[in-house]
């Protein structure tokens, strides 16, 4: 190869690399650039093969297993960072026969630099590794050259693009699998533990959920989150994105039920200027914006059928057409969808496409209702009280055991969201410095309690009372508020149910500052 340019950041170099038509040619040119043009004493460029389990060279027969730590590539890939070794030391410490054979003719005086390479786009998949050997000062000079960073970035970008076009995509995905297996247990446990700060809960159901979130994040499969309202689907979607290889890309979310049908298509797919009346400017849709990242479609069950067909195309080919556009565009995104509806029933009613359902649910993930993980309630309560105090600038506050018992036994049709709202209300109803008692809890009446807790509802936290008049006032206010809520604010019915004239109830509401109609 003729070296027209010695500057590593130069145009000639870029052209040299860009002209490659397939990953092996690109790797060969990269070796030539570094070897011939930059006079690096020894260069090799390895790629990931066999489901990403091994590293291979284009001109050699050997394959180095990624989990065999007798060669330096496994160390560099595992750490995800470049590794520098004195060759003499590497030879004596790292006794892999193929590695030994690879560096057999090289000088003991030289250093070896192994640089793991990963795609520089949203997927950030591992590609392989660059190996350079030379005298330490020459190696240092090469790596310090700003052009080298540009060269490496260009190499990674082109390699990833060519690999995708050439079907190497699968190979790289398999590498991710192998990296996952490499570090399997420990890494997964550490991630699941870290997730515990975000997805609170120590019940078996919560631990299993966190484990599944980590596993989902390790793949690029479409995820379908199914769970009742308020179980944390939005939180889980964000957690998957944050732990995934796309974490540096954008995360975009849309609630398909909250947007009028007529606007949803433009919102998702974007539109050209003049595509419809009022479209004064072209606008990129969420699919385009999510390129390189994750798109979260909440309430997918409410997506109209014509849009479902278009979404299926995006999932299958990454292609979509903005409203008014002549040509299709390409987006590389990961889709996470969520629903609280039983989608199978919607399929039976012909309200949801079966093919889309199966494509969306490559990684189905069911979120447990709060009733299936009541053990988590004390931890959630504690966190929500702390949140409230921090948000409102209140001193720390606790909760009495009687109130906590009521909370543990109550029903939660709105799941964690309902518990959170309930704690916010109870905090607001509790005097600063005091602990939350049963009387501060809204909806504590027989109608909202599970049978086992009905007795507990009647139990006041008597020991916490230090002001009888205040306690009586509180009790009266809580009772009236609950009764009004039960009768949808109808004072006449509430008064009747309490054996009071309507006028007396109105007076009490005024005196107790109960803000009801
Ligand atoms: N495991 C959890 N730890 C801490 N907070 C949680 C947890 N799960 C849910 N929450 C909180 O509960 C509320 C509801 O969560 P989220 O919005 O994620 O639920 P959802 O299932 O998406 O609800 P919907 O179906 O109504 O959209 C949020 O305030 C969220 O922060």
């Amino acid at each position: 190869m003729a070296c027209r340019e010695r500057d590593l950041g130069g145009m000639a170099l870029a052209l040299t690399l860009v002209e490659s038509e397939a990953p092996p040619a690109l790797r060969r040119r990269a070796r030539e650039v570094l070897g011939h043009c930059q006079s690096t004493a020894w260069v090799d460029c390895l790629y990931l093969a066999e489901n990403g389990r091994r590293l291979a060279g284009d001109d050699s027969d050997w394959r180095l297993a990624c989990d065999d730590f007798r060669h330096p590539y496994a160390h560099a890939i595992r750490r995800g960072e470049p590794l520098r070794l004195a060759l003499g030391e590497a030879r004596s410490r790292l006794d892999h026969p193929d590695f030994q054979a690879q560096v057999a003719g090289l000088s003991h005086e030289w250093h070896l630099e192994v640089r793991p390479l990963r795609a520089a786009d949203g997927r950030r998949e591992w590609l392989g590794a660059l190996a350079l050997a030379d005298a330490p000062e020459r190696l240092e000079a090469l790596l310090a050259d700003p052009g080298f960073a540009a060269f490496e970035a260009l190499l990674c970008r082109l390699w990833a693009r060519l690999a995708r076009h050439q079907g190497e995509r699968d190979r790289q995905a398999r590498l991710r699998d192998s990296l996952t297996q490499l570090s399997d247990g420990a890494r997964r446990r550490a991630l699941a533990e870290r997730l515990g700060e975000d997805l609170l809960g120590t019940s078996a159901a919560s631990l299993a959920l966190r484990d599944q979130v980590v596993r989902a994040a390790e793949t690029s499969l479409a995820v379908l989150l199914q769970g009742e309202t308020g179980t944390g689907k939005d939180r889980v979607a964000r957690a998957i994105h944050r732990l995934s290889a796309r974490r540096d890309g954008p995360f975009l979310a849309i609630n398909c039920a909250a947007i009028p049908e007529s606007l949803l298509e433009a919102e998702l797919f974007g539109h050209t200027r003049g595509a419809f009346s009022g479209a004064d400017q072209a606008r990129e849709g969420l699919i385009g914006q999510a390129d390189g990242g994750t798109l979260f479609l909440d309430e997918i069950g409410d997506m109209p059928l014509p849009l479902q067909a278009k979404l299926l195309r995006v999932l299958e080919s990454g292609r979509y057409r903005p409203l008014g556009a002549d040509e299709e565009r390409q987006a590389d995104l990961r889709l996470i969808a969520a629903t609280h509806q039983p989608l199978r029933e919607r399929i039976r009613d012909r309200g949801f496409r079966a093919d889309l359902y199966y494509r969306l649910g490559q990684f189905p993930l069911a979120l447990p209702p709060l009733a299936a993980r009541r053990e988590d309630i004390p931890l959630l309560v504690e966190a929500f009280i702390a949140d409230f105090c921090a948000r409102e600038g209140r001193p720390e506050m606790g909760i009495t055991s009687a109130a906590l018992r009521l909370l543990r036994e109550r029903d939660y049709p709105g799941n964690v969201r309902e518990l959170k709202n309930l704690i916010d209300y109870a905090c607001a109803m509790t005097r600063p410095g005091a602990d939350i008692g049963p009387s501060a809890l809204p909806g504590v009446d027989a109608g909202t309690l599970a049978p086992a807790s009905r007795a507990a509802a009647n139990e006041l936290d008597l020991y916490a009372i230090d002001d009888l008049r205040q306690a009586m006032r509180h009790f009266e206010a809580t009772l009236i508020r609950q009764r009004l809520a039960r009768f949808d604010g109808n004072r006449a019915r509430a008064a009747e149910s309490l054996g009071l004239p309507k006028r007396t109830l109105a007076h009490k509401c005024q005196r107790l500052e109960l803000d009801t109609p």
Side-chain angles (χ1 to χ4, degrees):
M1 182 178 93
C3 294
R4 289 166 287 176
E5 176 81 70
R6 297 189 73 85
D7 170 13
L8 264 173
M11 178 62 85
L13 163 76
L15 284 176
T16 305
L17 292 182
V18 167
E19 281 161 8
S20 315
E21 283 176 358
L26 178 73
R27 290 191 287 267
R28 197 178 56 248
R29 288 190 178 180
R31 288 202 321 259
E32 284 170 356
V33 167
L34 290 170
H36 299 173
C37 305
Q38 292 300 308
S39 316
T40 310
W42 180 84
V43 183
D44 207 348
C45 189
L46 308 181
Y47 65 91
L48 277 142
E50 294 180 29
N51 294 345
R53 289 196 178 81
R54 289 173 196 275
L55 278 156
D58 290 305
D59 303 327
S60 43
D61 297 334
W62 47 256
R63 308 227 141 178
L64 297 167
C66 288
D67 56 357
D68 183 342
F69 292 95
R70 292 175 304 151
H71 63 76
Y73 301 105
H75 292 271
I77 285 197
R78 168 121 196 213
R79 291 187 347 183
E81 284 171 14
L83 181 77
R84 174 82 66 89
L85 288 164
L87 257 174
E89 188 198 343
R91 277 218 191 93
S92 57
R93 272 207 304 123
L94 300 162
D95 59 359
H96 193 291
D98 287 331
F99 170 65
Q100 293 282 343
Q102 189 193 26
V103 297
L106 310 186
S107 161
H108 279 257
E109 311 285 313
W110 290 353
H111 277 187
L112 172 70
E113 168 96 4
V114 178
R115 304 183 65 82
L117 302 178
R118 71 192 316 185
D121 59 8
R123 292 188 183 201
R124 300 189 45 76
E125 290 155 351
W126 291 98
L127 301 164
L130 194 60
L132 310 164
D134 208 333
E137 58 288 354
R138 287 182 52 82
L139 209 48
E140 209 56 66
L142 174 72
L143 297 172
D145 182 346
F148 180 79
F151 163 83
E152 207 174 40
L154 184 63
L155 173 64
C156 290
R157 188 169 293 272
L158 290 173
W159 187 342
R161 189 172 301 161
L162 289 174
R164 297 222 163 94
H165 290 158
Q166 302 263 321
E168 274 207 11
R169 192 172 169 153
D170 292 347
R171 238 188 289 173
Q172 292 159 24
R174 281 183 242 129
L175 161 66
R176 261 207 317 279
D177 292 344
S178 90
L179 284 175
T180 307
Q181 286 163 15
L182 253 191
S183 29
D184 226 17
R187 199 180 77 93
R188 191 171 288 145
R189 266 197 305 280
L191 283 177
E193 213 163 285
R194 226 172 56 206
L195 256 184
E197 291 164 20
D198 219 26
L199 297 175
L200 298 173
T202 49
S203 62
S206 289
L207 298 184
L209 174 69
R210 291 211 289 268
D211 182 63
Q212 277 198 295
V213 168
V214 172
R215 283 171 196 274
E218 283 168 350
T219 73
S220 55
L221 300 175
V223 179
L224 181 60
L225 304 174
Q226 289 185 283
E228 292 174 12
T229 180
T231 44
K233 297 187 288 296
D234 184 275
R235 262 196 181 221
V236 164
R238 287 171 199 276
I240 292 175
H241 172 75
R242 251 196 335 274
L243 293 185
S244 75
R246 295 171 171 269
R247 68 181 77 86
D248 296 330
F251 176 91
L252 289 135
I254 184 169
N255 185 323
C256 301
I259 307 239
E261 231 180 278
S262 53
L263 298 184
L264 189 57
E265 180 169 5
E267 200 61 36
L268 278 175
F269 294 87
H271 58 80
T272 57
R273 187 167 170 221
F276 47 84
S277 63
D280 310 335
Q281 302 216 323
R283 186 155 161 244
E284 179 150 51
L286 293 175
I287 290 174
Q289 290 175 47
D291 190 24
T294 305
L295 178 61
F296 174 46
L297 297 178
D298 203 357
E299 304 297 2
I300 188 83
D302 286 297
M303 177 172 277
L305 275 168
L307 280 193
Q308 290 180 25
K310 293 185 178 173
L311 183 63
L312 185 63
R313 171 138 178 78
V314 177
L315 276 165
E316 282 177 343
S317 64
R319 303 197 68 76
Y320 68 101
R321 190 195 302 269
L323 282 170
D326 295 329
E327 295 196 345
E328 284 193 325
R329 296 188 192 157
Q330 184 81 28
D332 163 30
L333 55 85
R334 190 218 194 137
L335 207 89
I336 303 181
T339 179
H340 68 272
Q341 305 184 28
L343 282 187
R344 283 176 184 279
E345 280 175 27
R346 301 262 298 124
I347 292 171
R348 272 200 297 276
D349 304 342
R350 302 199 179 281
F352 204 82
R353 291 178 67 115
D355 46 6
L356 179 61
Y357 172 72
Y358 292 113
R359 187 61 181 72
L360 283 172
Q362 287 178 325
F363 196 113
L365 218 158
L367 279 83
L370 190 53
R373 50 187 191 107
R374 286 187 186 276
E375 312 93 282
D376 292 340
I377 290 178
L379 187 69
L380 288 164
V381 166
E382 196 185 314
F384 294 153
I385 296 176
D387 270 2
F388 178 90
C389 294
R391 224 171 42 234
E392 302 289 328
R394 292 269 195 103
E396 276 179 28
M397 99 178 27
I399 183 161
T400 66
S401 50
L404 195 55
R405 195 164 58 243
L406 287 176
L407 288 173
R408 284 189 67 145
E409 291 167 356
R410 195 182 187 279
D411 287 335
Y412 292 94
N415 291 290
V416 185
R417 179 183 292 112
E418 182 173 346
L419 176 62
K420 186 170 178 356
N421 291 344
L422 207 140
I423 294 300
D424 281 349
Y425 174 83
C427 288
M429 291 297 292
T430 303
R431 158 168 68 80
D435 287 345
I436 295 171
S439 57
L441 301 176
V444 179
D445 67 26
T448 54
L449 287 171
S453 63
R454 286 190 187 142
N458 298 322
E459 237 177 75
L460 275 175
D461 193 10
L462 298 175
Y463 292 104
I465 292 174
D466 53 6
D467 180 334
L468 182 61
R469 234 186 301 188
Q470 162 88 9
M472 296 302 282
R473 198 179 139 88
H474 213 132
F475 177 75
E476 203 176 11
T478 307
L479 183 58
I480 294 174
R481 192 179 298 105
Q482 286 162 3
R483 212 47 75 92
L484 285 166
R486 184 187 264 186
F487 294 110
D488 289 332
N490 184 325
R491 278 194 184 171
R493 293 187 61 199
E496 190 190 340
S497 79
L498 289 167
L500 292 175
K502 192 178 156 200
R503 190 191 287 267
T504 309
L505 182 71
H507 178 67
K508 282 183 183 292
C509 285
Q510 198 177 25
R511 186 169 53 85
L512 296 168
E513 296 172 357
L514 296 178
D515 192 13
T516 59

